[in-house]
Amino acid sequence: MAQSPSRTPMAGGFLLAISLLAGTILGAGRGQASIGFVAGLGVGLVLLLAIWLIDRARTRRG
């Protein structure tokens, strides 16, 4: 019985964390740290979703 090689899934948590930090710092520079945090969260979630979808497609192919 042939075993398939183990494959480590991609992780997008780093992109989410960096987006949150960058959004907060940029927002604070403009006097709106909360809005920067929310914007960073939105960008981070989009990147996280993209990484997850790409990884899911790679897993299904083989």
Side-chain angles (χ1 to χ4, degrees):
M1 178 161 107
Q3 293 182 357
S4 63
S6 67
R7 194 186 70 69
T8 305
M10 295 170 56
F14 174 75
L15 293 174
L16 177 61
I18 291 298
S19 296
L20 287 171
L21 289 173
T24 303
I25 291 169
L26 291 172
R30 295 180 178 243
Q32 297 291 330
S34 297
I35 293 175
F37 179 83
V38 172
L41 178 63
V43 169
L45 288 175
V46 167
L47 292 173
L48 186 70
L49 180 64
I51 296 271
W52 179 72
L53 288 172
I54 291 168
D55 188 51
R56 186 173 172 200
R58 280 186 19 195
T59 303
R60 289 182 187 238
R61 275 193 229 149

